[in-house]
Amino acid sequence: MAAPDSIKPFSPEETQKILHHLQQPAVFMDMTRGWPVLHWTAEHLSGCLGDKLVRFRLGRKDETNTPLFETQCSYVEAKLADFLSWTRDQAGTDVGPFFKYPKSEYWAYADYKYIAVLFQDQPSMFEDIKWSEFGYEGRNGRESTLWIGTEGANTPCHLDSYGCNLVLQVQGRKRWHLFPPEDTVNLYPTRIPYEESSVFSQVDVLHPDLRRFPEFQGARAHVVTLQPGQEVDDMARVSEAVTKAVVCALKSAPSDDNSDNWLNPTEEGVASHNENMQYVNLAVGAFAQRQRGLCHGKLTQDPRDTHPVKRDSRGQIRKNSDLVTDSVPFSVPFGPHLTPVRCQQDYSPGTRGTTTKDPEASSDTAPKTKLASAVRVHQGKYECIHGLTQCKPCDCADGTSENSSVDYEEPVHTVITTNDLLDCLVHPDIIACVTKLLLERHTYNKPQEEDKPLI
């Protein structure tokens, strides 16, 4: 059971304090629950925009070891409906100006679209975005930009020289490669092509030419894949995290029978075991946090009190005496609802397949189109955005069968392969049992034992 939309991990005041003290990128979780913008899929926006033309940037999917700057891209003005038809790659479908660009060879990106301009005749849509809940009073979609792209769409690595960015992922996935400011020299900055407040890197950080840019080997990337802001069942999230950890651990191990192409093409890379175990712990922690919020969140406020409530990092309402003043040292409350994007110690410039996706991204409700849409408010850090994808739903079979024959057959022993073992270990019934055990042992309150007399 999900927590009520009104219960958020951090109050606006707490969020502002967190943003002020953060010294590294971080991902907020459960903060946008209930925001209407979470329904802004590409299909929904196509209905809202109708025949309005949107400018798309198109780039070739070739790997050239050099950044593909905006000046080197092609551009088309098209309806969002044309864009959707093009992404579905259906023969005989009208795709408008996209017909010149084979989908197998090009990606497309409607980037940096100001919502205030895009929906100037529908100003009520501005209210679907509630940045005020992050402490930016009065800010909504009017101050935000919209980004919609296909798989592979990307922005060259660059430095935004102003403030900070808040990004809400609405549909699909977006991978970010982030570098700390002190790594600027390793990224070979350039102002050509020129763009106000933007400093570009000469390095293609996904496929770097280390002969031309040897110092890039010293760059320390923080890589994170943002997921849609929609909520999923917390227990299902734990189950998916467990499944991923087991599958990756076994299939990544060297073995004579582990030579098959086991990773689905919709997956962009194999996460390390440490990363997968972090997701298991985050999923279990989020489940426990939600349970505490359900137990305590609705019972501690006087219904006659109309003043805004302040909550602690567990989602519980604080008393005035509990509030932290500016004179008290502040520690950023990392946990299930605020995840730091840590430096990838094993970041290998030539192989970029090590970042992960949240287990929820493979849920059966995921749309089949490989699209991503994101909303962004700009407030500078180096960044490279890459890999906009959406996982396709998977068809699962439990692998069991019944045999009504009573004839006896001599059992024949066959070699048990890694895949045979996996079929059993990640069987839905087994995963459900493991999930239940994990949650019982690590989240549920155990009954207190009565004091017993010493003998």
Side-chain angles (χ1 to χ4, degrees):
M1 181 183 297
D5 291 345
S6 58
I7 297 180
K8 301 295 171 65
F10 309 108
S11 70
E13 295 82 4
E14 289 172 318
T15 306
Q16 275 294 299
K17 185 168 286 190
I18 290 170
L19 292 173
H20 179 73
H21 286 84
L22 275 174
Q23 296 298 310
Q24 66 187 104
V27 178
F28 285 91
M29 300 179 184
D30 302 327
M31 283 292 291
T32 58
R33 181 193 299 277
W35 287 22
V37 71
L38 295 179
H39 300 292
W40 283 24
T41 62
E43 294 78 8
H44 174 78
L45 292 174
S46 175
C48 296
L49 291 171
D51 293 334
K52 188 162 192 161
L53 297 181
V54 179
R55 193 183 194 213
F56 287 85
R57 177 165 61 93
L58 293 102
R60 297 191 67 91
K61 296 180 178 180
D62 304 334
E63 296 180 6
T64 61
N65 297 107
T66 58
L68 183 64
F69 293 116
E70 283 91 332
T71 54
Q72 301 163 319
C73 293
S74 301
Y75 293 87
V76 299
E77 302 253 341
K79 296 181 293 186
L80 203 50
D82 295 334
F83 168 73
L84 288 173
S85 297
W86 181 69
T87 62
R88 290 164 186 157
D89 208 14
Q90 297 174 343
T93 305
D94 182 16
V95 297
F98 288 101
F99 79 94
K100 298 180 181 179
Y101 304 93
K103 181 174 173 290
S104 59
E105 299 176 19
Y106 287 87
W107 49 257
Y109 208 0
D111 51 358
Y112 222 111
K113 304 305 174 191
Y114 282 96
I115 291 175
V117 175
L118 209 56
F119 300 106
Q120 57 185 337
D121 54 345
Q122 303 176 63
S124 61
M125 293 188 68
F126 303 159
E127 303 303 324
D128 289 0
I129 304 167
K130 304 178 181 298
W131 295 121
S132 57
E133 295 187 7
F134 281 78
Y136 295 101
E137 187 175 355
R139 290 208 173 192
N140 53 28
R142 188 184 299 275
E143 291 79 27
S144 304
T145 53
L146 181 67
W147 305 64
I148 305 173
T150 62
E151 179 181 10
N154 64 87
T155 300
C157 185
H158 64 280
L159 166 69
D160 288 334
S161 58
Y162 47 76
C164 67
N165 287 301
L166 284 176
V167 180
L168 167 61
Q169 192 71 19
V170 175
Q171 179 187 14
R173 297 181 292 136
K174 175 179 285 188
R175 176 177 295 169
W176 294 74
H177 296 255
L178 303 160
F179 299 86
E182 54 268 27
D183 277 0
T184 297
V185 65
N186 297 327
L187 293 163
Y188 297 86
T190 178
R191 293 306 304 265
I192 304 297
Y194 174 78
E195 180 178 282
E196 183 182 356
S197 75
S198 291
V199 182
F200 289 98
S201 169
Q202 299 179 59
V203 184
D204 178 354
V205 300
L206 300 178
H207 310 97
D209 184 344
L210 296 179
R211 287 177 298 180
R212 287 185 62 199
F213 308 112
E215 298 303 319
F216 179 70
Q217 295 180 87
R220 296 158 298 159
H222 294 66
V223 181
V224 62
T225 302
L226 290 187
Q227 306 293 336
Q230 292 94 327
E231 290 304 311
V232 296
D233 178 71
D234 292 297
M235 189 171 289
R237 181 179 293 180
V238 175
S239 296
E240 273 303 317
V242 170
T243 302
K244 183 175 182 179
V246 172
V247 172
C248 289
L250 284 180
K251 294 300 292 181
S252 297
S255 172
D256 292 340
D257 66 350
N258 252 351
S259 58
D260 56 323
N261 188 18
W262 63 274
L263 194 65
N264 197 59
T266 55
E267 295 293 325
E268 293 188 351
V270 184
S272 69
H273 188 62
N274 283 339
E275 290 176 307
N276 286 332
M277 289 308 300
Q278 182 183 20
Y279 272 103
V280 171
N281 281 281
L282 284 172
V284 172
F287 180 91
Q289 202 85 341
R290 191 67 46 74
Q291 297 306 305
R292 285 196 291 270
L294 286 173
C295 292
H296 304 296
K298 296 183 289 185
L299 302 178
T300 53
Q301 185 184 15
D302 187 337
R304 297 167 296 181
D305 185 2
T306 59
H307 291 86
V309 300
K310 296 181 184 293
R311 300 183 182 275
D312 60 19
S313 59
R314 295 171 297 173
Q316 299 182 18
I317 298 172
R318 287 182 171 181
K319 300 177 182 178
N320 289 334
S321 59
D322 296 332
L323 297 178
V324 178
T325 63
D326 291 336
S327 60
V328 178
F330 181 79
S331 177
V332 176
F334 290 121
H337 299 290
L338 182 65
T339 308
V341 180
R342 301 191 185 281
C343 177
Q344 294 224 155
Q345 299 296 332
D346 56 347
Y347 186 76
S348 175
T351 55
R352 294 292 184 247
T354 57
T355 106
T356 63
K357 71 178 183 67
D358 192 284
E360 69 183 88
S362 58
S363 69
D364 288 343
T365 59
K368 292 186 178 180
T369 49
K370 295 182 179 179
L371 303 173
S373 54
V375 174
R376 183 173 178 181
V377 61
H378 302 273
Q379 283 258 89
K381 301 286 188 292
Y382 266 106
E383 60 186 42
C384 174
I385 312 165
H386 186 263
L388 304 172
T389 72
Q390 176 76 19
C391 282
K392 295 181 179 178
C394 57
D395 296 322
C396 301
D398 61 10
T400 59
S401 62
E402 294 182 0
N403 188 346
S404 58
S405 173
V406 294
D407 294 337
Y408 174 77
E409 295 183 5
E410 186 72 24
V412 178
H413 173 71
T414 58
V415 176
I416 299 173
T417 66
T418 303
N419 288 345
D420 294 331
L421 181 60
L422 270 179
D423 282 341
C424 296
L425 288 177
V426 298
H427 187 283
D429 293 343
I430 301 301
I431 291 296
C433 289
V434 173
T435 300
K436 185 171 180 290
L437 281 173
L438 277 175
L439 295 177
E440 285 178 351
R441 295 183 179 185
H442 296 279
T443 67
Y444 296 119
N445 292 327
K446 297 180 181 179
Q448 292 183 349
E449 295 184 358
E450 295 181 2
D451 293 335
K452 297 179 180 180
L454 296 175
I455 298 177

